Amino acid sequence: MDMLRETDFDFLGPKTMGKVRDIYDQGDRLILITTDRHSSFDRIIAHIPWKGQVLNQTSAHWFELTRDIVPNHVLAVPDPNVTIARKCQMVPVEAVVRGYLTGVTDTAIWTRYGKGQRDFGGLKLPDTMRKNQKLPQPIFDPTTKEASHDRTLSPEAMIAEGFVSKDLFARIKDAALKLFARGQQVAASRGLLLVDTKYEFGTDKEGGLVLIDEIHTPDSSRYWQLDTYDKRFAAGEEPDYFDKEFLRLWFKEHSDPYADEELPQAPRELVEELSRRYIRMYEQITGKKFEPGETPILPRIERNLRSFAG
Ligand SMILES: Nc1ncnc2c1ncn2[C@@H]1O[C@H](COP(=O)(O)OP(=O)(O)OP(=O)(O)O)[C@@H](O)[C@H]1O
Ligand SMILES: [Mg+2]
């Protein structure tokens, strides 16, 4: 099966690699190629067919649906896997918004609630809440974006430590909450709950706020099925969610993913199952049928990017 692992297009300019995207820097603009690389445990664990296209096209869909709220970085989408973006000065804050009391990692709101925290982004939660319950209103819960690891910091500390100015913080918060409200509203019309998400912002030369990176993708957001949520919540059951965890679990069982120099190859059935799930998510989120881009992928991208030489 054809997969997009990595690109090497000298004609586009200097390349850097994120975990998922290959990024070509052309001064004022970036060529963002979303590959099929799948990361977990801070490393690439597999390549998932069509995942890059799903992520790129899901973002493109949402950028279009939200550009009346805040300008975004998209200049063109000349290929299913590629976005030409305005290069911005990155704001070192991950603008996390949460709509439900959930999650199991250290930074998750349910974990912190379990440890006794009640104050979140200026909202004080009652003591009686249960896992996966809807929050009285969405919470802006940013973390810093740092090389080592992201931290949850109070707005005051973020401003004091120089991550953002007070004014920029206020603009990011306002934009993030409006984007999330739009996301929830549109998701509901597709039978989905937008549970939580993470936005990245940049600033342009005039200091204007710009939404960058990706928006409301299965990698940056959590979605639950709307139709079964109430019943399952009432019964104390986990919501129907988009499960990607099985691949991580396989690696945990078959390797030491934080330590091993080389990882085993994931079983083909699991990779294909995850691919099908990404495609299903794309179709439910956007309401569009997934049209696999022409293969082989690499020469197609090269062709579609010829007029964007750096
Ligand atoms: N318009 C833009 N201007 C500047 N930087 C951008 C823009 N859009 C996206 N980026 C950055 O490009 C990178 C996208 O690559 P990718 O998603 O693979 O990175 P990542 O592995 O998530 O990296 P990171 O840990 O930095 O988020 C991110 O670092 C993102 O912040
Ligand atoms: Mg990223």
Side-chain angles (χ1 to χ4, degrees):
M1 185 168 283
D2 196 23
M3 275 184 280
L4 185 61
R5 296 163 190 272
E6 193 185 332
T7 67
D8 208 353
F9 296 137
D10 288 339
F11 72 99
L12 290 177
K15 176 180 96 165
T16 51
M17 279 170 78
K19 287 190 281 295
V20 174
R21 292 172 183 82
D22 284 357
I23 305 149
Y24 294 87
D25 189 333
Q26 298 191 338
D28 282 349
R29 67 183 188 189
L30 298 177
I31 314 288
L32 295 166
I33 304 183
T34 308
T35 70
D36 294 328
R37 297 195 288 269
H38 190 64
S39 82
S40 197
F41 315 105
D42 280 325
R43 64 196 293 178
I44 305 305
I45 60 168
H47 295 85
I48 309 298
W50 308 115
K51 188 190 130 168
Q53 179 179 340
V54 162
L55 294 182
N56 189 56
Q57 293 185 328
T58 304
S59 278
H61 173 80
W62 280 109
F63 276 127
E64 191 57 40
L65 285 181
T66 54
R67 43 185 257 200
D68 60 313
I69 299 173
V70 58
N72 62 59
H73 72 170
V74 178
L75 296 172
V77 184
D79 179 275
N81 287 74
V82 184
T83 293
I84 315 287
R86 261 198 291 165
K87 185 163 94 181
C88 297
Q89 176 82 43
M90 199 159 57
V91 180
V93 169
E94 308 238 326
V96 178
V97 183
R98 306 182 185 281
Y100 290 78
L101 191 60
T102 194
V104 292
T105 60
D106 287 351
T107 50
I109 190 169
W110 171 242
T111 309
R112 286 143 66 205
Y113 184 90
K115 288 181 184 156
Q117 187 179 337
R118 290 293 176 269
D119 250 310
F120 296 92
L123 191 71
K124 187 154 173 24
L125 299 180
D127 286 330
T128 51
M129 290 190 70
R130 288 165 44 205
K131 183 163 188 241
N132 303 328
Q133 191 169 346
K134 188 172 187 179
L135 296 166
Q137 64 189 67
I139 289 175
F140 183 60
D141 189 30
T143 67
T144 60
K145 190 168 156 67
E146 291 173 76
S148 50
H149 67 295
D150 302 338
R151 283 185 294 159
T152 305
L153 273 189
S154 69
E156 295 73 26
M158 263 184 206
I159 293 161
E161 289 189 28
F163 284 94
V164 276
S165 68
K166 197 172 170 189
D167 169 65
L168 192 56
F169 185 92
R171 283 152 68 202
I172 288 172
K173 178 176 177 176
D174 181 62
L177 288 172
K178 283 181 180 149
L179 290 167
F180 192 71
R182 176 70 54 83
Q184 288 201 311
Q185 177 204 333
V186 175
S189 74
R190 307 281 335 140
L192 289 166
L193 297 172
L194 179 60
V195 177
D196 44 41
T197 196
K198 178 211 78 179
Y199 305 105
E200 289 187 26
F201 292 96
T203 50
D204 62 19
K205 285 194 198 105
E206 291 75 42
L209 195 64
V210 182
L211 180 63
I212 65 170
D213 203 46
E214 60 180 336
I215 168 169
H216 299 164
T217 68
D219 280 8
S220 70
S221 316
R222 194 187 322 246
Y223 288 94
W224 292 335
Q225 295 296 338
L226 172 66
D227 57 347
T228 55
Y229 170 78
D230 285 339
K231 204 169 137 214
R232 296 184 69 96
F233 178 71
E237 292 165 1
E238 285 296 307
D240 283 320
Y241 65 107
F242 166 56
D243 186 4
K244 302 188 269 193
E245 195 59 18
F246 64 93
L247 194 63
R248 277 173 59 82
L249 290 177
W250 186 89
F251 278 97
K252 276 193 180 165
E253 276 160 24
H254 293 86
S255 67
D256 185 350
Y258 285 110
D260 295 350
E261 201 159 307
E262 250 189 75
L263 290 180
Q265 183 116 41
R268 202 186 149 133
E269 318 82 74
L270 296 191
V271 167
E272 287 175 359
E273 175 58 24
L274 191 53
S275 173
R276 281 192 294 274
R277 290 188 191 192
Y278 268 100
I279 289 170
R280 239 187 283 140
M281 279 302 282
Y282 169 81
E283 295 190 332
Q284 191 175 358
I285 292 169
T286 65
K288 296 173 189 158
K289 173 139 184 48
F290 181 76
E291 306 280 1
E294 209 177 288
T295 56
I297 299 173
L298 265 177
R300 182 201 75 210
I301 295 181
E302 182 164 10
R303 218 167 43 241
N304 287 335
L305 287 181
R306 218 168 268 149
S307 61
F308 293 94

